[in-house]
Amino acid sequence: HVQLVESGGGSVQAGGSLRLSCVAPGYQINCFHWFRRAPGKEREGLAAVYNGGFSTHYADSVLGRFTISQENGKNIVYLQIDRLEPEDTAMYYCAAGKYLGWCIGGNCCRQDFWGQGTQVTVS
């Protein structure tokens, strides 16, 4: 069972930035996806990267503030979040698996693996 490891969360003031990291050690995975879950809210898809990092997809709600990227040739994926807002407060999760062949709502991946999440709190 592949366990992804997220990091980079923290407590920040509104307007600041964070870069979240996701590492999938030891496996070749062709699609990564970030999503978040805030208390009392449904899971929200954010962004996905596939095709070795050359292709990305974003949910409309995060376009312009979130940037997903993959380190060249490695199973390391980042989610850069700029101009943080209190509404961004949530647990952020990374998931990974096979590219589905299509994207919707910030996701393009069959989610075979995922991590424990990293908390982002914006005040």
Side-chain angles (χ1 to χ4, degrees):
H1 175 72
V2 176
Q3 180 71 47
L4 308 183
V5 180
E6 301 102 330
S7 62
S11 297
V12 296
Q13 291 190 336
S17 298
L18 280 175
R19 188 175 80 158
L20 310 182
S21 300
C22 171
V23 179
Y27 286 81
Q28 288 300 315
I29 297 173
N30 67 2
C31 191
F32 289 85
H33 163 59
W34 283 96
F35 66 94
R36 67 186 178 187
R37 184 175 283 124
K41 295 185 178 181
E42 293 187 357
R43 169 177 163 162
E44 180 183 10
L46 302 173
V49 60
Y50 58 100
N51 191 23
F54 289 99
S55 300
T56 58
H57 166 75
Y58 295 91
D60 290 344
S61 60
V62 304
L63 273 173
R65 289 199 303 123
F66 288 40
T67 305
I68 192 169
S69 60
Q70 183 172 357
E71 200 162 313
N72 190 29
K74 298 182 180 179
N75 280 358
I76 303 174
V77 174
Y78 303 103
L79 185 68
Q80 176 74 30
I81 311 174
D82 297 319
R83 302 189 303 282
L84 278 155
E85 303 167 354
E87 292 72 26
D88 294 320
T89 295
M91 186 71 82
Y92 285 69
Y93 298 88
C94 179
K98 185 179 178 181
Y99 172 54
L100 291 168
W102 46 267
C103 300
I104 188 170
N107 183 42
C108 312
C109 317
R110 189 179 71 192
Q111 295 174 43
D112 299 318
F113 316 110
W114 53 91
Q116 296 296 317
T118 185
Q119 176 68 38
V120 172
T121 302
V122 185
S123 59

